[in-house]
Amino acid sequence: MAKLFGTDGARGVANTELTCDIAFKLGQAAVALFGKTVVVGKDTRLSGDMLEAALGAGVMSLGGTVLACGIIPTPGVALLARELHADCGIVISASHNPPEYNGIKFFDAQGFKLSDEREAELEAFVAQGGAAASDLPSGDAVGVIVPVEDACELYIRHAINTVADEDLPFDELKIALDTGHGASSLTTARALEELGAEVLVINDDFSGTDINVECGSTHLEPLKQLVAATGARVGIAHDGDADRVMLVDAAGNEIDGDVVEAVCALDLKRRGLLAGNTVVSTVMCNLGFTKCMEEAGISIVQTNVGDKYVLAQLREGGYSIGGEQSGHMIFLEHNSTGDGLITALQFLAAVLRQGVSVAEAASVMKHFPQELINVRVTDKHSVTQNPAVASIIAAKNEEMAGSGRILVRPSGTEPLVRVMVEAPTHEDAHAVAQAIADVVEREMGLGE
């Protein structure tokens, strides 16, 4: 069996790569490896019902109880795994991926994503064919489904409570919101409105086949148009399962995860709440973020790409904030995983505390020009052993002579090699990235 788990759970095209058989066996694995009470949520994908039914059947086939939350953001499942005293939580979602994809990702009883070792145990369980027939209960020992009717309400209330004590003037905010036809369609607008903000929403309906399609945090043009048309002070966009957020200011300038982390880290430092005077980021963070933190006297710890690696470093070091350029942000005091709604609220609270515009708050960090090219390949993992790719990277590093940065890595969720270059100018970054991408395409591409 091919490796099942990537950087964020098991993921693939639903019903061909990520099958009901796999979902059923992962449901069994949840009970066998964690315990009999399993919180389950999903995003709005059409295949969510199918995979939820298969996974739930697996849980119940070993006598487990499914606490069914329905459509809910991924961080809501992490929260409810703790709050409902479950043995684990499972989200059926492919996050920012296209609608035909789906995924299954796990949280432990404390709402934390699993280590690579624990995921390997799940893979081994599936590879061996699931539970043995002799282990299957019968009669009144089989499991059941218990709906959690107020799941989204519990999550919304928790998010609001992270900023409600300060009585900040959220009523001064006109907010444009793009929920990407995803799970945040049920949560983010309600939370912001309860805090007093005026919220103008697009893409909060869903058909199951429109999630992330030309909208949400990976396609900001509709949000920018909404901000321009309505005179909103800020725009907020989520991906399909709302574990990430991207923002734009009143002029439509993008505010990525690096900027959000910089603003929030500086706010925490000013209030004496930045644990260890340290932030956690990944190797993909912009050089501008590094410079901003250094100038503020804040230490940086970098990890591999993937918010579970950020989380591991947060827990190991006892730090309070970590994130990714893509908009995954973890505020460990408030939730145990990337949380798009809580991140948006913490960013807005930091802006309101300063009494400045969103653009002025975001100006604390200056981006180095960055170019990212994705190359579709036959075997993404072989990029690290390819001599031609290594040679072009070495040559371009020598040419840049320390004035920029090159990062070439396999995607954790798709059959892609990601080529990222930072340089003094956009032209330089593009030229270097394209030269490397051309070699990757020639050596490893699909040949179409």
Side-chain angles (χ1 to χ4, degrees):
M1 186 184 76
K3 182 173 171 54
L4 189 58
F5 286 87
T7 57
D8 198 18
R11 195 174 297 188
V13 176
N15 212 34
T16 58
E17 297 173 342
L18 184 62
T19 64
C20 290
D21 180 62
I22 290 173
F24 179 84
K25 290 170 182 172
L26 285 173
Q28 288 188 326
V31 176
L33 299 178
F34 294 99
K36 289 193 173 183
T37 306
V38 183
V39 172
V40 178
K42 60 186 175 183
D43 67 20
T44 58
R45 294 165 202 273
L46 193 64
S47 60
D49 289 350
M50 174 188 73
L51 293 172
E52 181 186 34
L55 184 136
V59 171
M60 292 182 286
S61 75
L62 280 186
T65 297
V66 176
L67 301 180
C69 297
I71 294 171
I72 187 172
T74 284
V77 173
L79 172 72
L80 292 175
R82 296 192 303 277
E83 295 296 314
L84 300 179
H85 306 289
D87 295 303
C88 69
I90 300 176
V91 183
I92 299 167
S93 170
S95 190
H96 63 285
N97 287 156
E100 65 271 21
Y101 283 78
N102 217 322
I104 298 174
K105 48 189 171 185
F106 282 70
F107 296 101
D108 66 18
Q110 297 304 311
F112 293 117
K113 287 186 177 179
L114 306 185
S115 66
D116 291 343
E117 292 74 20
R118 290 296 271 167
E119 288 185 339
E121 292 179 33
L122 291 171
E123 285 197 9
F125 186 96
V126 173
Q128 73 182 17
S134 58
D135 293 333
L136 301 180
S138 61
D140 61 3
V142 300
V144 296
I145 296 174
V146 178
V148 183
E149 303 289 355
D150 58 348
C152 282
E153 183 60 37
L154 290 169
Y155 171 62
I156 291 168
R157 188 58 41 204
H158 171 78
I160 289 173
N161 286 341
T162 67
V163 296
D165 289 348
E166 295 182 66
D167 196 28
L168 294 166
F170 278 87
D171 58 353
E172 296 179 0
L173 297 178
K174 178 188 281 191
I175 300 172
L177 173 65
D178 182 353
T179 58
H181 302 297
S184 64
S185 301
L186 305 183
T187 53
T188 293
R190 285 177 55 195
L192 292 167
E193 287 169 347
E194 286 197 37
L195 285 164
E198 178 184 356
V199 185
L200 307 156
V201 195
I202 55 173
N203 300 321
D204 59 335
D205 57 338
F206 44 88
S207 65
T209 60
D210 51 6
I211 187 171
N212 299 320
V213 177
E214 300 299 321
C215 61
S217 63
T218 55
H219 298 87
L220 293 177
E221 283 307 313
L223 179 65
K224 293 178 182 180
Q225 292 168 11
L226 181 62
V227 168
T230 60
R233 184 172 170 182
V234 64
I236 297 171
H238 294 299
D239 61 337
D241 70 336
D243 62 351
R244 71 171 76 184
V245 66
M246 296 284 276
L247 300 99
V248 300
D249 65 20
N253 299 306
E254 295 182 18
I255 300 172
D256 65 16
D258 287 343
V259 178
V260 170
E261 184 169 8
V263 170
C264 291
L266 292 171
D267 176 67
L268 287 167
K269 183 178 175 68
R270 281 191 293 267
R271 295 188 292 137
L273 299 174
L274 185 62
N277 196 44
T278 298
V279 296
V280 180
S281 189
T282 76
V283 294
M284 286 290 285
C285 76
N286 191 275
L287 283 174
F289 175 77
T290 302
K291 182 176 287 292
C292 177
M293 293 297 97
E294 289 174 350
E295 290 175 353
I298 295 172
S299 300
I300 306 171
V301 177
Q302 288 190 324
T303 73
N304 291 331
V305 174
D307 65 338
K308 69 178 181 181
Y309 301 116
V310 172
L311 173 63
Q313 193 62 58
L314 285 170
R315 296 179 71 186
E316 181 180 332
Y319 307 129
S320 50
I321 181 173
E324 298 185 281
Q325 188 181 78
S326 60
H328 283 117
M329 202 70 52
I330 302 173
F331 292 83
L332 203 52
E333 177 186 356
H334 302 308
N335 207 346
S336 53
T337 193
D339 192 320
L341 173 54
I342 283 179
T343 299
L345 295 182
Q346 296 305 311
F347 176 82
L348 293 174
V351 173
L352 291 172
R353 288 186 194 104
Q354 294 180 68
V356 299
S357 70
V358 170
E360 187 175 349
S363 68
V364 296
M365 180 191 140
K366 305 299 183 186
H367 281 90
F368 275 57
Q370 187 179 80
E371 183 77 14
L372 176 64
I373 300 177
N374 294 319
V375 183
R376 193 163 290 272
V377 296
T378 53
D379 178 11
K380 62 185 179 182
H381 297 292
S382 67
V383 68
T384 57
Q385 287 86 39
N386 188 284
V389 174
S391 178
I392 186 67
I393 292 172
K396 293 303 177 182
N397 268 322
E398 185 174 352
E399 285 180 19
M400 294 170 71
S403 65
R405 187 166 70 106
I406 297 171
L407 181 66
V408 178
R409 67 176 188 88
S411 166
T413 58
E414 298 177 82
L416 303 172
V417 167
R418 304 196 191 280
V419 179
M420 189 276 285
V421 176
E422 290 169 338
T425 70
H426 284 287
E427 293 77 13
D428 289 343
H430 175 76
V432 173
Q434 190 63 61
I436 297 171
D438 288 345
V439 174
V440 173
E441 173 71 29
R442 187 188 72 219
E443 293 287 315
M444 305 168 56
L446 300 179
E448 295 177 350

